[in-house]
Amino acid sequence: MRFLLKREMTMEKFTTLSSTAIPLDIENVDTDQIIPARFLKATDREGFGNNVFRDWRFDKNGNENPDFILNNKTYSGNILVAGNNFGCGSSREHAAWALTDYGFKVIVSSFFADIFKGNALNNGLLPVQVPADFLKVLLSEIKNKPDTQLIVNLELQTISIKGTSFKASFDIDAYKKTCMINGYDDIDYLLSKKQTIEAFEAKKTY
Amino acid sequence: MGKTLFDKVWDAHVVDAIENGPQVLYIDKHLIHEVTSPQAFNELKERDIPVFRPDQIVATADHNTPTINQHLPIKDLLSKNQLEQLSDNCKKNNITLYELGHKYNGIVHVMAPELGFTQPGMTIVCGDSHTSTHGAFGTIAFGIGTSQVAQVFASQCLLLSKPKSLRVTINGKLRAGVLPKDVILYIISKLGTNSGTGYFCEYAGDVFKNMSMEGRMTICNMSIEMGARGGMIAPDQTTFDYVEGREYAPKGEAFDKKVAYWKTLPTDVDATFDKEYFFDAEDIEPMITYGTNPGMGIKITENIPNINDASFEKSLEYMDFKKGESLINKPINFVFIGSCTNSRIEDFRVAADYIKGKQKAQNVTAWLVPGSKQVESQIIDEGLKDIFVNAGFELRQPGCSACLAMNDDKIPQGEYCVSTSNRNFEGRQGQGSRTILASPLVAAAVAIEGKIIDITKQLN
């Protein structure tokens, strides 16, 4: 198993990443698939990578499913390239913890569910949303050439295939971008606003 | 230009804003449960940050609780530990917990409205995507991740960008036997599972105006299944009547003052939405799902569509269904009536009304799981329990149960379950289980017949 990175409580800084990628050509991947509910009994954030995509990776007896892409040794890397509407369903942040614990640093899709996207950003996992056409080409390139190197540049907000002109730009909230680049999280900012929050509470009109 | 219901509630809660970035949104009520809170409590502890407003937090145990013998110690050690951590964390931080066995314990989205915690015009969050349920009261309510749970603990606020607005209007009168669950499954089948992503959805028109609060909660509950963070219905007399007199609702003059404010909340006539959809109530019929996301729904009388798409085919393969086939007469061995979508008293009344005088089919295991201790008491007081027991159904104790199968309530591998819950994802109700979503009426009928039937024939 590829535990490339253990997440710390504080956010890891993110600037650029060059890596091969794993093509998960399935749409509507829900968070129940990313981490099934029966693994949510843990009370810390560590170790969820063991069970990421559990029921797609293993059968009921714990044997590897050779058809599932994560078990195909041809493909590796810190980038998961997935079908449309990735991360739909449950709000469980365990999904983001499982993906980062397994070693992913970037998820590419043509569409992300809201809650998952926020959870990913809060854990230093970068969701890169690209146009559907771009995703299609990306998936087929990686499938055909598993050593395809992708370059994700957060500063410039671009994703490209190394050594080619194939490139797309992606959107990210300016505040979240600063957080990702510097490893900040929201709590420190909110705590700095304590006085404003207390003043709001005192003057609430509703 | 006029404002929407959503605009009015959102704007009243903006504390501050980051230039070209998110806003600081004040949260009135924070609901927590055992599964998504422990890591947030740990984070606060490690960073030595106190819980800012413990009085605004309501805690319950629901996801991981057994639904039989709740008075006995919990056998599963991991579940036991998780529940103990919740008790411990609440105690240390002065948070009121309605723990297992408490007379107000229940699924967070059933017990909070029941106790009057949920009120119009509020902002409510919970580490659970079905927090959208509370939007039925004209509330901005949405699910959050555990990092955000920690943020609300620390500051009673969240950093958020304002979502776009979407309105679904359905006018006309629903046909007999068409329940709120059918309405929302119909909407999602038409719009798809991601049409609402990035939006907050308002439901408007005759159908929702004429709906009970229980029905409105079923509708708003499943907003997340079309991707919308939340759904809302304008508060009206039905809302005020539901809230009035509940344990934690304002009383007397304070209540009247609130009602006067709540009456100002509905969307202005000249307000505009980023997206609008219109449907006709007459077009809606009892629904069922055939695939592995809630958007894969059809009228019970329709056949599975013929779509050439790899993800669609993967889904049908999992369900062991074929393109173009009808689901009528499919044998079903498991029926589940429960979950934060359909475990309120009205849902059990509908089921009991159909079941009365009939017998459950031999092949069916049927679990009825009330949403809360209060719903359980109502079922007993109204004599519904006798109807269920006489018909061979099992009335269990409150909890999330087989909706997500975190406890022992699991559907076996390969089996179909006609379920009143909200998600038909692969393995959602147990490894290898196959979920078919439906209303409590359809679920009750399937339990009696032991197979999927064309309920519309009985209704006409």
Side-chain angles (χ1 to χ4, degrees):
Chain A
M1 263 175 276
R2 289 161 287 188
F3 292 98
L4 304 177
L5 161 94
K6 278 279 177 197
R7 184 186 175 276
E8 299 297 327
M9 286 294 279
T10 48
M11 290 246 299
E12 188 148 318
K13 296 177 185 182
F14 189 108
T15 46
T16 60
L17 175 71
S18 177
S19 171
T20 50
I22 301 177
L24 180 66
D25 194 1
I26 300 171
E27 292 184 358
N28 301 313
V29 173
D30 59 77
T31 52
D32 272 83
Q33 305 319 312
I34 300 172
I35 184 82
R38 64 184 186 279
F39 299 113
L40 307 189
K41 295 181 183 184
T43 53
D44 53 32
R45 296 181 185 223
E46 307 299 325
F48 288 103
N50 280 326
N51 296 311
V52 73
F53 295 112
R54 177 78 200 192
D55 295 339
W56 284 350
R57 273 164 73 201
F58 301 100
D59 68 15
K60 211 167 176 178
N61 302 319
N63 302 313
E64 270 197 12
N65 167 14
D67 297 334
F68 186 56
I69 199 79
L70 261 66
N71 293 331
N72 185 337
K73 302 286 182 273
T74 319
Y75 302 101
S76 64
N78 305 105
I79 302 174
L80 182 69
V81 181
N84 194 45
N85 198 27
F86 186 84
C88 58
S90 158
S91 63
R92 61 189 69 166
E93 194 162 315
H94 312 65
W97 300 335
L99 290 163
T100 53
D101 195 31
Y102 188 79
F104 291 115
K105 301 184 94 166
V106 170
I107 312 287
V108 183
S109 178
S110 51
F111 202 83
F112 288 94
D114 278 338
I115 306 179
F116 174 79
K117 195 175 182 175
N119 288 342
L121 287 164
N122 281 334
N123 286 279
L125 176 67
L126 183 66
V128 172
Q129 188 168 323
V130 296
D133 297 350
F134 185 90
L135 181 72
K136 208 173 162 186
V137 177
L138 205 56
L139 281 167
S140 87
E141 282 291 315
I142 301 164
K143 280 190 222 170
N144 294 333
K145 283 182 280 173
D147 61 347
T148 302
Q149 284 274 331
L150 304 185
I151 300 170
V152 177
N153 187 322
L154 177 57
E155 193 71 60
L156 300 174
Q157 296 178 216
T158 56
I159 175 167
S160 54
I161 294 180
K162 197 175 181 178
T164 73
S165 59
F166 191 70
K167 188 186 259 191
S169 53
F170 61 88
D171 286 333
I172 180 169
D173 178 285
Y175 165 79
K176 275 293 167 198
K177 180 175 169 179
T178 309
C179 289
M180 285 286 289
I181 290 173
N182 296 293
Y184 302 156
D185 74 3
D186 290 351
I187 286 194
D188 291 326
Y189 179 83
L190 287 167
L191 287 174
S192 77
K193 287 283 161 187
K194 246 340 177 356
Q195 280 186 328
T196 318
I197 295 167
E198 281 169 343
F200 174 88
E201 286 178 320
K203 284 195 296 185
K204 264 190 314 194
T205 51
Y206 57 89
Chain B
M1 200 178 69
K3 285 174 125 186
T4 66
L5 163 65
F6 176 77
D7 289 335
K8 292 180 193 181
V9 181
W10 179 279
D11 294 351
H13 288 81
V14 176
V15 173
D16 205 351
I18 296 175
E19 212 184 323
N20 299 320
Q23 294 172 315
V24 178
L25 193 79
Y26 191 78
I27 303 302
D28 295 315
K29 284 275 186 289
H30 185 192
L31 313 175
I32 63 168
H33 60 83
E34 73 275 27
V35 176
T36 57
S37 67
Q39 292 88 349
F41 279 115
N42 290 346
E43 181 167 356
L44 256 69
K45 201 174 153 194
E46 281 167 30
R47 295 169 73 165
D48 202 20
I49 302 167
V51 173
F52 183 51
R53 293 287 179 247
D55 292 350
Q56 287 168 241
I57 305 172
V58 175
T60 187
D62 56 3
H63 279 64
N64 204 355
T65 53
T67 57
I68 45 166
N69 295 323
Q70 288 187 347
H71 62 290
L72 296 178
I74 293 167
K75 285 184 202 146
D76 182 318
L77 289 178
L78 287 173
S79 301
K80 188 165 175 271
N81 174 50
Q82 202 170 47
L83 291 163
E84 282 171 359
Q85 279 211 24
L86 179 70
S87 302
D88 195 40
N89 283 326
C90 287
K91 209 166 162 188
K92 281 185 183 144
N93 293 287
N94 297 316
I95 294 164
T96 309
L97 166 65
Y98 299 91
E99 63 193 337
L100 195 61
H102 191 287
K103 65 174 178 172
Y104 294 150
N105 173 259
I107 304 176
V108 63
H109 310 310
V110 178
M111 56 78 76
E114 223 170 45
L115 291 173
F117 287 121
T118 306
Q119 293 162 29
M122 281 183 166
T123 48
I124 299 181
V125 295
C126 175
D128 186 284
S129 60
H130 293 111
T131 308
S132 57
T133 310
H134 307 263
F137 292 77
T139 302
I140 291 184
F142 53 92
I144 56 176
T146 296
S147 295
Q148 291 174 306
V149 172
Q151 290 160 26
V152 183
F153 280 161
S155 69
Q156 206 56 36
C157 288
L158 283 174
L159 280 170
L160 295 164
S161 298
K162 191 173 178 179
K164 287 185 275 189
S165 63
L166 156 70
R167 181 163 62 183
V168 173
T169 305
I170 309 184
N171 281 315
K173 198 169 174 294
L174 292 175
R175 293 164 187 257
V178 175
L179 301 184
K181 182 62 163 289
D182 300 308
V183 174
I184 190 65
L185 284 175
Y186 177 85
I187 294 170
I188 301 167
S189 76
K190 292 290 174 195
L191 303 185
T193 51
N194 62 13
S195 56
T197 307
Y199 292 81
F200 239 78
C201 176
E202 179 174 342
Y203 302 95
D206 306 337
V207 164
F208 306 106
K209 272 186 202 139
N210 296 329
M211 206 174 262
S212 68
M213 287 313 294
E214 284 84 352
R216 292 178 188 182
M217 284 190 254
T218 300
I219 298 286
C220 290
N221 173 277
M222 288 192 69
S223 303
I224 185 69
E225 310 312 336
M226 59 174 173
R229 199 87 186 252
M232 292 176 98
I233 293 172
D236 58 11
Q237 199 56 47
T238 306
T239 323
F240 313 146
D241 290 346
Y242 180 96
V243 174
E244 190 171 15
R246 295 199 178 255
E247 185 137 356
Y248 295 98
K251 306 278 181 326
E253 216 174 290
F255 181 77
D256 296 339
K257 226 175 125 189
K258 283 283 185 190
V259 169
Y261 169 62
W262 296 341
K263 284 182 173 169
T264 68
L265 294 176
T267 295
D268 297 329
V269 183
D270 56 344
T272 56
F273 288 80
D274 295 309
K275 268 206 290 205
E276 289 229 52
Y277 297 99
F278 298 88
F279 298 105
D280 188 345
E282 296 280 318
D283 290 340
I284 308 174
E285 286 180 31
M287 300 284 296
I288 43 169
T289 62
Y290 59 86
T292 56
N293 72 57
M296 299 175 82
I298 46 174
K299 292 174 180 172
I300 205 161
T301 53
E302 286 177 336
N303 295 350
I304 294 173
N306 270 299
I307 297 172
N308 292 320
D309 170 86
S311 293
F312 182 85
E313 283 157 7
K314 179 181 182 296
S315 187
L316 285 197
E317 191 186 333
Y318 181 84
M319 294 299 290
D320 196 23
F321 288 150
K322 288 173 191 66
K323 291 181 191 177
E325 80 171 327
S326 160
L327 296 186
I328 305 287
N329 291 328
K330 283 268 175 202
I332 302 292
N333 295 331
F334 289 84
V335 169
F336 171 62
I337 301 183
S339 88
C340 59
T341 313
N342 282 121
S343 65
R344 297 178 183 83
I345 189 63
E346 271 193 5
D347 302 315
F348 293 101
R349 285 184 193 139
V350 165
D353 192 47
Y354 182 88
I355 290 165
K356 197 173 184 174
K358 301 186 179 86
Q359 276 299 313
K360 176 185 74 66
Q362 289 280 334
N363 60 310
V364 173
T365 301
W367 292 334
L368 306 172
V369 183
S372 69
K373 290 293 276 183
Q374 294 208 76
V375 173
E376 184 186 33
S377 302
Q378 274 176 294
I379 289 172
I380 295 166
D381 294 347
E382 293 184 16
L384 309 185
K385 184 178 177 178
D386 296 335
I387 295 172
F388 295 138
V389 172
N390 290 339
F393 287 74
E394 187 183 353
L395 180 67
R396 297 170 79 98
Q397 291 170 297
C400 297
S401 182
C403 172
L404 83 165
M406 258 194 89
N407 66 0
D408 292 337
D409 306 348
K410 297 181 201 302
I411 307 303
Q413 176 136 16
E415 289 285 357
Y416 293 108
C417 178
V418 169
S419 175
T420 66
S421 53
N422 39 56
R423 289 188 173 135
N424 49 354
F425 297 152
E426 287 183 28
R428 171 81 178 180
Q429 298 193 286
Q431 263 181 290
S433 64
R434 295 166 170 152
T435 303
I436 296 170
L437 302 175
S439 76
L441 174 64
V442 170
V446 169
I448 298 296
E449 302 293 337
K451 59 184 185 180
I452 296 174
I453 59 156
D454 180 1
I455 188 84
T456 59
K457 281 189 180 149
Q458 294 184 22
L459 296 168
N460 298 332

